[in-house]
Amino acid sequence: MKSAIHLFSMITFLFLFSCDKTNLDSEKAQDQLELDKMLQKITELANSVECNNSNDWNFIALGEKACGGPKGYIAFSKTVIKDGFEDLVKEYNEADIAFNKKYKLISDCMLLLPPSMVSCKDGKAELIYKY
């Protein structure tokens, strides 16, 4: 009888634990989907302007590594500032930080240096790195 109770307790524990993990995985996937949607909106806005003069462009840090520092950079036309581009990036970066903390993510701690400039090539903005 004692072993049956022990077995039942163990099965119940495993069932509850697996449900929590399933719920957490589902929640994490949903949160990741929201981050992906935000990133897609940012990318679409950044790419909505043809790059003809690199002086009309700038770049901004995008995303946040769990260890700190940006995941990358994105070029944007100074004309999209009025469309709230920088606010969208700030919101995305804050959501990325919260995601990293919520799911206790880890990352490399390599410092990603910013680009030196933006260049225009075939109507597209390119980040130039010179070190």
Side-chain angles (χ1 to χ4, degrees):
M1 181 69 168
K2 207 176 203 181
S3 63
I5 292 173
H6 181 68
L7 180 62
F8 178 75
S9 297
M10 206 150 155
I11 291 171
T12 302
F13 174 77
L14 290 173
F15 176 75
L16 292 174
F17 179 74
S18 67
C19 287
D20 287 345
K21 180 161 177 28
T22 302
N23 289 340
L24 184 63
D25 288 344
S26 176
E27 187 177 339
K28 184 178 179 183
Q30 183 62 38
D31 289 348
Q32 183 64 58
L33 184 61
E34 291 301 317
L35 279 173
D36 293 345
K37 286 179 185 176
M38 292 172 75
L39 181 57
Q40 181 178 359
K41 187 174 182 179
I42 289 166
T43 303
E44 287 173 359
L45 190 54
N47 294 330
S48 68
V49 178
E50 189 171 337
C51 187
N52 295 314
N53 181 350
S54 62
N55 292 326
D56 296 335
W57 288 73
N58 205 348
F59 56 86
I60 191 168
L62 185 62
E64 184 77 19
K65 289 184 177 187
C67 195
K71 288 181 180 176
Y73 292 88
I74 189 168
F76 67 96
S77 168
K78 294 175 185 174
T79 62
V80 298
I81 292 174
K82 67 181 183 303
D83 297 328
F85 181 80
E86 291 175 311
D87 292 335
L88 286 174
V89 172
K90 181 179 178 187
E91 183 182 337
Y92 173 79
N93 290 347
E94 289 171 356
D96 203 23
I97 291 168
F99 182 85
N100 292 339
K101 288 180 181 178
K102 181 176 182 178
Y103 298 106
K104 297 177 175 72
L105 300 182
I106 57 171
S107 68
D108 66 53
C109 296
M110 287 182 55
L111 175 63
L112 183 60
L113 296 174
S116 304
M117 61 186 281
V118 178
S119 175
C120 295
K121 183 175 180 182
D122 299 325
K124 301 282 184 195
E126 290 187 350
L127 297 174
I128 305 298
Y129 295 86
K130 293 182 182 178
Y131 304 112

